Amino acid sequence: MKILSLIAILPFVISCRSQEIIDLANLKLNEPIEQISRFDDQLLIGVETVEYPFSLLLEVEKSQRYSFDGIDLTGQRIIFQINSETLKTDSITRLGGGHIDLNPAKTSVELEHALKKYAATDRIYGVRIELKTQELKASILKKLSERYGKGTKNPNTDNGVYWNIKPQNKFIFYAPDYNRLIILNNAELSKTCYWDIMNGLIDFGGCDNEKYMADLLKNATKPEDVKDKPTLKIDKNWNINSLIIGETTEEEFTQSPMNNRFERMTEIDGTSGKTNEIYYQDNYHDLYCYFSPNKSDPENPTRNTITGYAINDFRKVNISFGNSLKPGLKFEEVLKLLDKLNIAYQPVDFANYIEIKTSSNTVTLNFNEDMLFSGMFVK
């Protein structure tokens, strides 16, 4: 009878566990990942440099299991930060502009694979909470003020406020201008400085900005020092390594010498489930190729055609051009060369890029902070 009784209540126990509400306000932010997330939620793990470039991110989409001091967070995106030595000290992805590389984590095996890939710990040290509505922003600010007092005005934003809770080793950043509440365990962070895109540089007292940024970037691989640089040849029609834009198939690309260390990615429409785009990424060399999926048979590589490519940093590749362009040319030199070649381009006043319209696509030539030719995008 006892065994039967136990079997009878077991589904109830499992159901209660699966519906357990996690109050993010009460986390110490050193919890194991599997303690604060469930694989029956939609989990994505990886890199999103605009959100925060110096840690691995675990995003939880559309979960119903989170709250903040009693406030229901259903429908809000929850993003946990995980310490990653690779991203903190030896990543080059963050130096090439906005970069997103998030992959599903549906099982513990997939989660462990991602942690090993980025040399990351199995514990969180921060959480970033999306605040979609004005009502939620007001409720969150009220709770924070009740708990921690008025806070300090963030001088870098219109409405931001932050708290340095020393007894709990916590930084709290209320950033309503960017729809975020960010809470960090600062035990292993700088105690005088903090920076991210949504808050700017925060000086908690005695911040040495140059030293702080240098520490964040210590041991970072210089782009020019990456290994096994691919050799790329761009012809006069902006095709790459004999791959013809609009004609070459995905199968032909995968069989070409260029396909060395690319990873295939698929962009899915969340509403219809249809494949929007297929692309191949080589994050290490900041090199990407884009394909248009066949509407009726998107998984047939013989029917998907290449639509463009991106080379974000010429220092990470060996590149040559069939029209006399060269990496490192000054902005004015490129303009003169285009005029000489009778290549029409868009007005470029006050811009750090040049757009060239062709019959089938747009070629964007990018220039770095010194206005030297540094990358390109064709699509």
Side-chain angles (χ1 to χ4, degrees):
M1 179 64 71
K2 291 183 179 180
I3 295 176
L4 290 176
S5 299
L6 179 60
I7 293 174
I9 66 171
L10 187 57
F12 176 76
V13 173
I14 293 175
S15 175
C16 289
R17 175 175 170 78
S18 65
Q19 297 300 319
E20 177 187 358
I21 300 299
I22 299 173
D23 193 332
L24 300 176
N26 295 329
L27 294 183
K28 294 182 179 179
L29 298 174
N30 60 2
E31 290 81 2
I33 296 170
E34 294 195 32
Q35 182 177 317
I36 51 82
S37 62
R38 300 286 183 270
F39 292 114
D40 54 356
D41 278 332
Q42 183 180 343
L43 304 181
L44 297 171
I45 190 167
V47 178
E48 189 171 354
T49 57
V50 174
E51 185 69 48
Y52 189 68
F54 298 109
S55 69
L56 189 64
L57 302 181
L58 178 71
E59 296 196 6
V60 187
E61 306 281 345
K62 300 177 182 179
S63 177
Q64 298 181 1
R65 71 174 82 252
Y66 297 101
S67 68
F68 184 85
D69 200 3
I71 300 173
D72 184 13
L73 296 177
T74 297
Q76 308 301 314
R77 193 158 56 118
I78 308 298
I79 306 170
F80 294 103
Q81 292 184 212
I82 304 165
N83 189 23
S84 162
E85 194 63 22
T86 297
L87 294 174
K88 186 172 63 176
T89 64
D90 198 31
S91 173
I92 56 177
T93 59
R94 64 180 180 274
L95 302 178
H99 175 74
I100 300 175
D101 182 14
L102 295 169
N103 295 291
K106 298 178 181 179
T107 66
S108 58
V109 173
E110 292 178 345
L111 175 62
E112 184 177 354
H113 173 77
L115 296 178
K116 287 183 177 179
K117 176 181 178 181
Y118 291 101
T121 68
D122 61 355
R123 293 175 178 268
I124 64 170
Y125 78 92
V127 62
R128 309 171 79 88
I129 304 170
E130 184 180 43
L131 307 176
K132 288 182 179 179
T133 67
Q134 293 300 322
E135 291 79 8
L136 179 58
K137 293 175 185 178
S139 298
I140 291 289
L141 180 58
K142 182 179 179 181
K143 290 286 188 180
L144 290 170
S145 299
E146 290 173 352
R147 277 185 171 229
Y148 305 114
K150 187 177 180 180
T152 302
K153 173 72 173 65
N154 184 342
N156 305 313
T157 63
D158 292 335
N159 301 290
V161 182
Y162 65 87
W163 293 261
N164 182 2
I165 314 300
K166 293 182 180 179
Q168 298 179 23
N169 287 324
K170 282 185 178 181
F171 291 150
I172 301 175
F173 304 97
Y174 173 73
D177 306 286
Y178 294 91
N179 299 332
R180 288 291 185 275
L181 171 64
I182 301 163
I183 309 174
L184 304 172
N185 182 327
N186 63 21
E188 297 185 15
L189 302 180
S190 167
K191 300 300 188 294
T192 59
C193 306
Y194 175 77
W195 173 90
D196 69 17
I197 291 175
M198 299 172 187
N199 290 284
L201 180 68
I202 302 295
D203 184 345
F204 293 107
C207 174
D208 184 334
N209 183 24
E210 291 187 8
K211 182 178 183 302
Y212 171 66
M213 296 306 295
D215 286 343
L216 285 178
L217 296 170
K218 66 180 180 181
N219 302 327
T221 302
K222 295 180 180 179
E224 57 269 26
D225 291 339
V226 299
K227 300 177 181 179
D228 302 320
K229 295 181 181 181
T231 298
L232 307 177
K233 295 182 180 180
I234 311 300
D235 68 20
K236 294 180 180 180
N237 296 314
W238 307 105
N239 298 307
I240 182 171
N241 284 19
S242 300
L243 304 178
I244 309 302
I245 305 300
E247 295 183 16
T248 298
T249 67
E250 181 185 358
E251 181 180 60
E252 291 170 331
F253 166 76
T254 59
Q255 295 174 353
S256 73
M258 184 175 172
N259 183 31
N260 187 12
R261 52 186 299 162
F262 282 91
E263 179 183 12
R264 187 182 193 266
M265 307 295 293
T266 303
E267 180 183 293
I268 303 295
D269 186 307
T271 302
S272 66
K274 295 181 179 180
T275 301
N276 285 337
E277 186 176 57
I278 296 167
Y279 61 97
Y280 283 75
Q281 61 182 21
D282 176 355
N283 292 329
Y284 182 65
H285 296 110
D286 252 346
L287 179 59
Y288 308 87
C289 292
Y290 302 92
F291 292 82
S292 175
N294 181 273
K295 292 183 179 179
S296 61
D297 194 7
E299 292 306 311
N300 185 344
T302 66
R303 305 183 69 181
N304 304 327
T305 56
I306 189 169
T307 58
Y309 58 88
I311 310 167
N312 288 338
D313 193 334
F314 289 155
R315 293 173 297 178
K316 303 174 189 176
V317 299
N318 296 315
I319 189 169
S320 61
F321 294 84
N323 58 10
S324 300
L325 278 173
K326 294 180 181 179
L329 286 179
K330 296 179 180 179
F331 191 83
E332 296 79 9
E333 292 174 329
V334 174
L335 292 180
K336 291 179 180 179
L337 179 58
L338 295 177
D339 288 335
K340 182 179 179 180
L341 296 172
N342 292 318
I343 297 176
Y345 52 86
Q346 299 295 312
V348 292
D349 292 343
F350 308 110
N352 65 340
Y353 63 91
I354 299 172
E355 279 193 355
I356 300 168
K357 300 286 186 180
T358 72
S359 59
S360 57
N361 49 44
T362 299
V363 179
T364 304
L365 309 181
N366 295 320
F367 296 78
N368 62 20
E369 61 273 11
D370 296 319
M371 296 304 286
L372 302 178
F373 186 31
S374 60
M376 64 185 298
F377 182 65
V378 178
K379 200 171 184 184

